Amino acid sequence: PNAAKGYPPREPTTTPQTNHRLTTGRTMLLFSCAVSSAQAPASVPPNDLAHTVKLNNGVAMPLISLGTWQYSPAVAESTVRLGLSLGYNHIDAALDYKNQRSVGKALAEHDRASYFLTTKVPSRTSASSAFADTSKDLAADLEQLGLSYVDLMLVHFPPVGNTLHCAAMQEQWRALETFYRAKKARAIGVSNYCQSSLRCIARAANVTPAVNQIKYHIGMGPDPIGLRSYGDRLGIVTQAYSPLGDGTGELISGALVTGIGA
């Protein structure tokens, strides 16, 4: 029941299953810094199943992560350092954010087993070079972060034109599978992928994506364009970025929200 056409069956695991299928992704600086030291949660190991979602290969992913998008290197370093000190145990980064060396400096102050690290590689459009170029990007992620492995590696977005570049997408996914088999990532997935993008890589995949990280918040409804339920059928966890909205305060201070809370 957990398999879907085009993907291999999910491997059985003895890890206890959680009931969570939706996780929250990138939290903005204002949100993370609003937690005072008195309110800070106790540090939670990334394999504490009470605060994680189990991915389709049995890896436990913490439910809430601290994002680093749009941060200068200095702000990224100080934010990750502060977040880890307050109890965050999942950090979300990306090669395209141009701040991973600073993120790595903050991570270096903590035991590797104490946090879960997600990062990403950009898309590629050339089928002939996608595997080699992606392999270089994967190595650059590790070098910039100062790590020998990451917990979750994502393809950041599909190429412009989407499945017009299906062969390149498949070659890029093959590079992630190679990275995964080399134990340089505990899990691999995608970001901003729609159904057609997922179907494209499925035709050549040996490993089902563990995660699809997409913009997702309550204002979009429970299952925008059917993407969450589609992922559920494939065993792909839907991870939300901008869970409090993007560029608007409507979900925090709008009339409907404040009226409900009045």
Side-chain angles (χ1 to χ4, degrees):
N2 291 325
K5 184 177 181 180
Y7 285 111
R10 296 169 64 188
E11 295 182 3
T13 172
T14 57
T15 307
Q17 179 71 51
T18 75
N19 293 322
H20 300 285
R21 296 302 303 162
L22 174 68
T23 67
T24 53
R26 305 173 198 143
T27 53
M28 302 309 291
L29 178 62
L30 178 63
F31 181 75
S32 63
C33 289
V35 182
S36 72
S37 57
Q39 299 169 316
S43 181
V44 179
N47 60 353
D48 181 345
L49 293 177
H51 301 87
T52 62
V53 60
K54 188 179 70 172
L55 304 182
N56 58 20
N57 65 349
V59 169
M61 181 176 75
L63 289 168
I64 298 178
S65 67
L66 177 67
T68 55
W69 181 44
Q70 294 184 321
Y71 293 168
S72 69
V75 172
E77 181 178 350
S78 62
T79 300
V80 171
R81 181 175 289 113
L82 175 62
L84 291 171
S85 74
L86 294 178
Y88 283 90
N89 64 343
H90 184 175
I91 305 300
D92 182 278
L95 189 63
D96 277 352
Y97 295 169
K98 311 296 184 186
N99 57 19
Q100 288 197 128
R101 294 189 188 280
S102 297
V103 171
K105 288 180 182 178
L107 294 177
E109 300 170 3
H110 295 263
D111 181 78
R112 181 61 185 89
S114 69
Y115 62 84
F116 187 104
L117 191 284
T118 296
T119 190
K120 312 173 194 75
V121 292
S123 62
R124 295 292 176 177
T125 58
S126 170
S128 62
S129 62
F131 181 88
D133 290 343
T134 300
S135 297
K136 291 177 183 177
D137 289 340
L138 292 166
D141 273 331
L142 292 180
E143 188 275 327
Q144 290 178 14
L145 291 163
L147 299 176
S148 60
Y149 73 93
V150 299
D151 297 286
L152 177 63
M153 178 64 73
L154 305 177
V155 178
H156 205 157
F157 41 82
V160 176
N162 199 354
T163 53
L164 292 175
H165 304 288
C166 184
M169 296 166 69
Q170 291 171 346
E171 282 296 285
Q172 180 159 51
W173 187 249
R174 184 167 70 89
L176 263 73
E177 289 185 344
T178 301
F179 191 76
Y180 176 61
R181 286 195 298 270
K183 300 188 183 303
K184 295 180 179 179
R186 296 176 63 225
I188 53 176
V190 295
S191 181
N192 299 304
Y193 267 47
C194 62
Q195 288 93 327
S196 62
S197 297
L198 291 168
R199 285 193 292 266
C200 163
I201 62 173
R203 291 196 289 271
N206 292 305
V207 178
T208 304
V211 169
N212 187 15
Q213 186 186 99
I214 61 172
K215 179 179 177 180
Y216 184 23
H217 55 72
I218 194 170
M220 299 170 67
D223 192 16
I225 68 170
L227 188 53
R228 179 184 174 185
S229 57
Y230 183 81
D232 284 347
R233 290 195 296 273
L234 297 174
I236 302 172
V237 167
T238 299
Q239 184 186 32
Y241 67 78
S242 300
L244 298 180
D246 188 5
T248 176
E250 192 64 27
L251 293 180
I252 301 174
S253 56
L256 176 61
V257 174
T258 54
I260 292 172

